[in-house]
Amino acid sequence: MTEPHQELPRVSLGGQLVPVLGQGTWMMGERPERFREELSALQLGLDLGMTLMDTAEMYGNGVSERLVGEAIRGRRDEVFLVSKVLPSHASRAGTVQACHRSLRRLGTDYLDLYLLHWRGSVPLEETVEALEGLKASGEIRAWGVSNFDPADLRDLRRVPGGEGVATDQVRYHLTRRGIELALLPESQARRLPVMAYSPVEQGRLLRQPVLQEVARRHGATPAQVALAWVLRQPGVIAIPKASREVHVRENRAAVEVVLDAADLAQLDRAFPAPTRAVPLEML
Ligand code: NAP
């Protein structure tokens, strides 16, 4: 595989310019025998410019954050670091405590972006107040949400400080296109980037024959086509998780793949865009 030469395009998120291609870390750091391999994969991703790193207190109960902390040691300034608070911790005091625990595991004194992992039973007012407090104290630079549908986002914007939301991180790939109806166009209109998680459907998508066919035409791989498809939209950031260096290199080079009208039409036929609202699915 050739080394990527094209700079990663950037979008504005929470007041910073971030690469449209980042690195997910769910289920990483959980197997001691794979720790070194996963660490090198994340560090290679950083070397290649995929400096947006997504983790969460939930992932392996903190082990993913520890791995990320190890990966960014000595190079914190290069990284746009994202973590998430569990809804069950998202009370006024609980959010602050959870953030402090994440910071300790990550070995840093600030997060670039802190997300509410999904909407729970704590009133949004409380969580937003805590997030705004963390922002004021400099412990986070921006905050956002995850798995919020358009109605949740409307509720959020109605609470004091709710307009401060910087992004919504949602499940988006060729076989789940529900956000194209409302969430994505509404976010684009507000110039709020959407973070697409599971962009290669955890690997399942890659076996689809149509993806393989498009990939062959481009001399690319199915994963690269899946990522190029997600990234075809303005204001979308993809955060594939790759714990193997070969996958990291491959994903980084996905920005070189430009899908043309014929590719997109073929993919649309195989994976039609929704024509009516479908509930937002989460993992
Ligand atoms: P994903 O990124 O769609 O898929 C990850 C899987 O695909 C891994 O098994 C990985 O293998 C494989 N893979 C990656 N690149 C590949 C390539 N080029 N060729 C072949 N296989 C490849 O799924 P995900 O981990 O669910 O989502 C990505 C990230 O989004 C997560 O890690 C997490 O940070 C975030 N996320 C957020 C939420 C939320 O609720 N906010 C939910 C789910 C995920 P290897 O590991 O073996 O390289």
Side-chain angles (χ1 to χ4, degrees), residues 26 54 146-147 169 198 200 202 239 241 243-244 247 251:
W26 188 23
D54 180 78
S146 178
N147 299 301
Q169 185 181 111
S198 307
V200 300
Q202 303 191 298
I239 48 166
K241 170 254 183 182
S243 60
R244 287 163 221 282
H247 290 162
N251 295 349

Side-chain angles (χ1 to χ4, degrees), residues 12-17 142:
S12 172
L13 170 53
Q16 299 187 56
L17 280 178

Side-chain angles (χ1 to χ4, degrees), residues 88-135:
S88 54
H89 293 161
S91 61
R92 203 172 285 111
T95 303
V96 175
Q97 287 159 5
C99 180
H100 290 168
R101 287 193 298 269
S102 288
L103 291 174
R104 269 198 299 280
R105 286 188 291 260
L106 287 158
T108 183
D109 54 6
Y110 73 97
L111 294 173
D112 294 282
L113 179 67
Y114 199 32
L115 305 177
L116 172 60
H117 210 145
W118 63 89
R119 188 174 182 175
S121 55
V122 174
L124 292 172
E125 287 83 344
E126 264 200 50
T127 311
V128 171
E129 197 184 317
L131 291 168
E132 284 288 327
L134 286 167
K135 203 169 143 182

